[in-house]
Amino acid sequence: MSKVYLMDQNAQTSELERVRCKDEDKELQRLLEGNPRLLSGEQMDPDNPREWLLIKREMPVTDPSSGALRWSIDFFYVDQFAIPTLVECKRCADTRSRREVIAQMLEYAANGHHYWTASEMRSYAEAAAGGGEALAALLPVFAQTEDRTVEGFFTSIEQNLREAKMRLVFFLDESPYELRSLVDFLNRQMTNTEVLLIEARQYQYASQRVVVPWLFGYTEEARVVKRETRKEAQTSSGERGPEAYWKEVEKCNASPDVKSAMRSFVSAFENPPLSNLGVIWWGKNALVGLPKLVKNRALCSLNRNGSLSLCFDYWNEKYPDIGDKQLSARDAFANGLLDLGIYLKKDWKMPCTISVGSDEWMPRLDGIIALLIRIGEKYADE
C-alpha cells in the first residue's frame, strides 16, 4: 500500500498517518454525498472524465417475489452520458465488504434493471436537484446525450438500464484483496456493465483529513472492451427510423419468437382497421400513437430489447392536450391490459412509465392489437 508524504519548503517529507474508517455513514456515505467527484471520473476516462448527477441516496429496490420496496442501494448517480451508476459504501473492517457485497450489488442491479422507470428516476432527481425547474436548467449543460431535455435524458437512462448498460461501484476506505480480484474478473467479463472499486484512502494532517481516491477494476484489457462497447452504443443511439430500429432488434438477446412478435405488432399498423386509427412513430424505439385521440403523444413504446413501455407519464392532467376523453382512453387501455392478464406494477393514474416484458405481452399480442382498435374506434369519434 502506497504511503502519502507531506513535503515542506526545504523538500523534507513527513509521512501522513493512515486513518481507518470507523463510522460508515459519516466517513464514507456523507463524504461521498458532499463530494461526488471522489468517484474518480477522470480515472475512468481521462479523455472524457465522468461527471455525476445524483438521482437518489438510498434508492429503493423492489423485491421481485413480493413487489414491495424491500432494500435500498446507498447511491444512485448518473453520468453525463445517461449511464446509471450504482454505489455501495462499505468499511473494510466490515466482513460484508468481501464476497457478500458482490452478490448484494448484482441483485440490486438486476432488480433495478427491470423495475426502475424514467418517471420514477426523474421524480427522485428533481427532489435531489431542488425542484423540476432546477433540474431542467441543469441538464442542457450537464448532459452529453443527443436529447438533452429532461424527458429525453431520463428516457435514455431507462433504455440503458433495460440494456444493462450501467456502472456498479464499490466505495470503501480500503479494499480486501478478495474483493479487488472479484471486481477485476467481473469487469473483464462483462461488456455492457462496468464493475469498479474505489478506495477513498484517508490520512490525518493536523486537524484535517486528506482523502485520496484510487480506482481499481480497469485493466487495459477491460478498458479496451468498454471503449468499443461505448463507441457502438453512442453510434447506435443517434440512429433513428425503422432501418436502425430493426438493425438493433436483430442484435439484441431476444429470442427469434420475440423478434417475430415485434414485427407482427408493427405490421398490424400497416393494414385496416388499425392503420386508420393508429400509427408507429420511429424514434429510437417504435412509438405507438393514436393521433385522432392525441396528435403527438405515444400511448406505449415497443423497445428495441423487446420490452413494451406504457407511457402513462405523458397521459395526465398537467398536459393541455390531455382532457377527460384522453384520461378515459388511458384508463380503458390500462384496464384492458389487466383483463388480458398483464400485471401493471404501478398505479397508472399517477405519472409513471410501466415496463412490460416480452414474456407478458407476446402471448397476448392479438388481444393488445384488438384493444388498441377498440380504444381508437370508441374515443377518436367522441
Side-chain angles (χ1 to χ4, degrees):
M1 184 67 64
S2 298
K3 297 182 179 180
V4 174
Y5 297 89
L6 181 68
M7 185 176 71
D8 63 21
Q9 59 186 1
N10 297 317
Q12 298 298 307
T13 62
S14 56
E15 181 182 337
L16 295 186
E17 178 188 357
R18 182 72 185 274
V19 179
R20 308 297 177 182
C21 175
K22 296 181 180 179
D23 186 332
E24 183 176 297
D25 175 65
K26 179 180 178 181
E27 297 175 286
L28 287 176
Q29 294 189 15
R30 279 192 274 171
L31 172 68
L32 181 58
E33 184 175 25
N35 305 274
R37 291 195 175 185
L38 291 175
L39 289 177
S40 301
E42 75 288 349
Q43 294 183 49
M44 295 179 188
D45 191 338
D47 296 328
N48 202 338
R50 295 307 187 247
E51 300 290 339
W52 310 107
L53 175 70
L54 178 64
I55 301 298
K56 185 170 175 57
R57 181 176 175 180
E58 300 297 339
M59 180 70 175
V61 180
T62 300
D63 181 348
S65 64
S66 65
L69 298 177
R70 179 178 175 185
W71 307 290
S72 66
I73 193 161
D74 291 339
F75 291 94
F76 183 4
Y77 287 99
V78 66
D79 71 15
Q80 67 266 43
F81 296 103
I83 301 299
T85 301
L86 313 184
V87 184
E88 271 292 295
C89 301
K90 285 286 184 291
R91 294 182 301 116
C92 183
D94 187 339
T95 57
R96 293 175 301 167
S97 66
R98 290 167 169 79
R99 294 181 179 85
E100 183 180 332
V101 72
I102 291 280
Q104 183 184 53
M105 176 71 91
L106 292 176
E107 185 172 20
Y108 291 168
N111 291 337
H113 156 76
H114 285 292
Y115 288 98
W116 292 333
T117 64
S119 59
E120 179 182 20
M121 292 182 288
R122 176 177 174 175
S123 178
Y124 285 136
E126 287 178 348
E133 292 184 3
L135 183 64
L138 172 65
L139 280 185
V141 178
F142 173 81
Q144 293 188 28
T145 51
E146 182 182 13
D147 188 343
R148 301 188 182 193
T149 65
V150 175
E151 179 179 322
F153 187 68
F154 281 90
T155 298
S156 296
I157 298 174
E158 180 177 330
Q159 185 67 27
N160 285 330
L161 272 175
R162 299 296 178 260
E163 296 174 2
K165 294 175 182 174
M166 63 178 77
R167 182 180 295 113
L168 312 180
V169 178
F170 302 96
F171 189 77
L172 304 93
D173 59 322
E174 183 178 340
S175 58
Y177 172 78
E178 302 97 315
L179 182 59
R180 291 203 300 269
S181 179
L182 286 168
V183 164
D184 177 66
F185 174 78
L186 289 172
N187 199 38
R188 279 184 288 141
Q189 300 305 315
M190 302 171 75
T191 55
N192 280 348
T193 302
E194 297 179 350
V195 185
L196 305 172
L197 185 153
I198 296 174
E199 282 191 2
R201 303 175 185 175
Q202 301 183 32
Y203 301 85
Q204 192 70 36
Y205 173 60
S207 61
Q208 297 180 315
R209 283 196 185 182
V210 176
V211 183
V212 182
W214 195 259
L215 178 70
F216 292 90
Y218 255 140
T219 61
E220 188 56 32
E221 177 187 356
R223 193 181 297 275
V224 169
V225 170
K226 309 300 182 185
R227 186 184 299 123
E228 293 305 313
T229 301
R230 286 196 298 269
K231 283 182 180 178
E232 181 180 341
Q234 290 171 6
T235 299
S236 64
S237 67
E239 297 177 351
R240 297 293 186 269
E243 184 176 347
Y245 174 82
W246 292 117
K247 179 181 176 181
E248 292 302 311
V249 167
E250 289 307 315
K251 292 195 300 186
C252 79
N253 294 326
S255 70
D257 287 344
V258 171
K259 294 175 182 178
S260 176
M262 294 171 71
R263 291 188 179 275
S264 297
F265 194 132
V266 171
S267 65
F269 289 81
E270 298 173 357
N271 302 296
L274 196 51
S275 61
N276 299 325
L277 303 166
V279 65
I280 295 290
W281 293 308
W282 295 103
K284 183 176 180 180
N285 298 305
L287 306 174
V288 176
L290 298 174
K292 293 183 179 180
L293 183 64
V294 182
K295 285 187 177 181
N296 298 306
R297 198 173 295 279
L299 184 59
C300 58
S301 168
L302 185 59
N303 302 322
R304 296 180 180 193
N305 64 356
S307 66
L308 185 68
S309 292
L310 311 179
C311 307
F312 297 138
D313 189 27
Y314 311 118
W315 287 69
N316 59 79
E317 298 90 336
K318 71 179 182 180
Y319 295 104
D321 57 347
I322 299 295
D324 291 341
K325 180 170 72 171
Q326 288 75 24
L327 293 176
S328 294
R330 176 203 66 187
D331 293 348
F333 183 54
N335 283 313
L337 293 175
L338 289 171
D339 290 341
L340 289 171
I342 294 176
Y343 172 63
L344 302 184
K345 305 177 182 73
K346 299 187 178 186
D347 181 0
W348 70 85
K349 296 185 179 181
M350 303 295 291
C352 66
T353 301
I354 300 176
S355 181
V356 178
S358 58
D359 57 333
E360 291 187 81
W361 69 259
M362 187 178 70
R364 302 168 175 87
L365 176 57
D366 291 342
I368 294 173
I369 292 172
L371 175 62
L372 290 169
I373 292 171
R374 289 200 304 274
I375 292 173
E377 289 177 340
K378 177 176 181 181
Y379 291 98
D381 298 328
E382 286 188 356

